[in-house]
Amino acid sequence: MKNLKIATFIIAILMLFVQCENESIIDTNNLESTIPNEEILGDKTDLLKSVNESILNKVYQNRDAIEFVYTGELCGLNVTGMYADATAYQSLHHYFFNGNEGDIISIYVPRTTIGFDSAFTLYFGTVDTELIYVTSSDDVIADAFGGCFSDPYIGDFTLPYSGTYTLVIHEAAHCGYPMGYEIITTGINCNDADFDGCQNDEDPYPHSIMTETIIIDGIDTGVENIFENCGTMSDEIQDIINQINDQYTGDNYYTLHKKLSSEVSKLTYYWVKERKITRVERSKISTAIWKSNIPYSIGS
Ligand SMILES: [Ca+2]
Ligand SMILES: [Ca+2]
């Protein structure tokens, strides 16, 4: 009797286990469309090479034929996507995120359907500009479905530049449709618009002017644009310019132009006092301010 109870208990546990297993099995349509690993011909390295050359390079070389648009932004939240059929590569999925040089990030793109041999390539730049290859990943972490090959992952990756990055989700070996995926990232920070290390909500100048030198209305003063406390000297000058522009009615140009000159002069007086700039540099800024066409109104 005791043995029967133990046997019943074991059977119950086994049934529970089988049930759990069943829940994780995905629909059979996907299973049927999957090509087992051993049936994929050729060496994967060659496949990858040909994929990269024939698809990605071709796509990027024929930019006019391709719609270069972003599918979405990566901003710390997990993102899901799907390539439904063979037309997928007419519209490669591009995602963007902003990063600072030295940021340490991770990107993991597990498949959500058994047929997708997911892979990704990371570029610096945007789809509207030049894309500079940074890194790529393919078979790193075994997929949850026992599908073909493995899923891509990069961990503890140090971003080499500050600016916008573009992540392209693509396949490596073709294993079947649909091709679903999830993008899981860490270390991507969407709250520092000007990449100066200060979070937007704590940054007095969330869109700092980061030029190397102070440029006023197109006139390069040649004076170093010092960055301090989340802002730059150009930010402080721009604040004054914005205030002056706000007061412009269309017939008070000379009054405001003089006021601008006097306000900036007060600011640069303190910069000299604090030894941030020299007297010569102060006069270069004054000259640029005087030559500038400020105030102005947009469209005038
Ligand atoms: Ca910032
Ligand atoms: Ca800033």
Side-chain angles (χ1 to χ4, degrees), residues 212-281:
E212 274 185 34
T213 53
I214 299 170
I215 299 167
I216 295 161
D217 196 22
I219 304 162
D220 190 346
T221 63
V223 178
E224 188 191 352
N225 181 27
I226 296 172
F227 173 80
E228 207 176 61
N229 301 326
C230 305
T232 62
M233 288 174 154
S234 290
D235 290 339
E236 291 184 62
I237 292 176
Q238 191 60 47
D239 257 4
I240 297 172
I241 292 172
N242 291 344
Q243 285 164 23
I244 293 291
N245 277 338
D246 284 347
Q247 295 167 50
Y248 185 48
T249 58
D251 55 10
N252 56 351
Y253 179 88
Y254 289 104
T255 312
L256 286 180
H257 193 69
K258 261 192 242 173
K259 193 176 171 187
L260 169 74
S261 187
S262 141
E263 293 293 320
V264 172
S265 183
K266 276 185 218 165
L267 181 66
T268 55
Y269 170 79
Y270 287 105
W271 287 349
V272 172
K273 222 176 155 189
E274 292 162 8
R275 296 178 186 275
K276 288 179 184 167
I277 59 169
T278 64
R279 284 177 198 283
V280 173
E281 286 174 327

Side-chain angles (χ1 to χ4, degrees), residues 194 196 203 205-208 227 230-231 235:
D194 57 5
D196 66 357
D203 191 336
Y205 301 100
H207 301 281
S208 281
F227 173 80
C230 305
D235 290 339

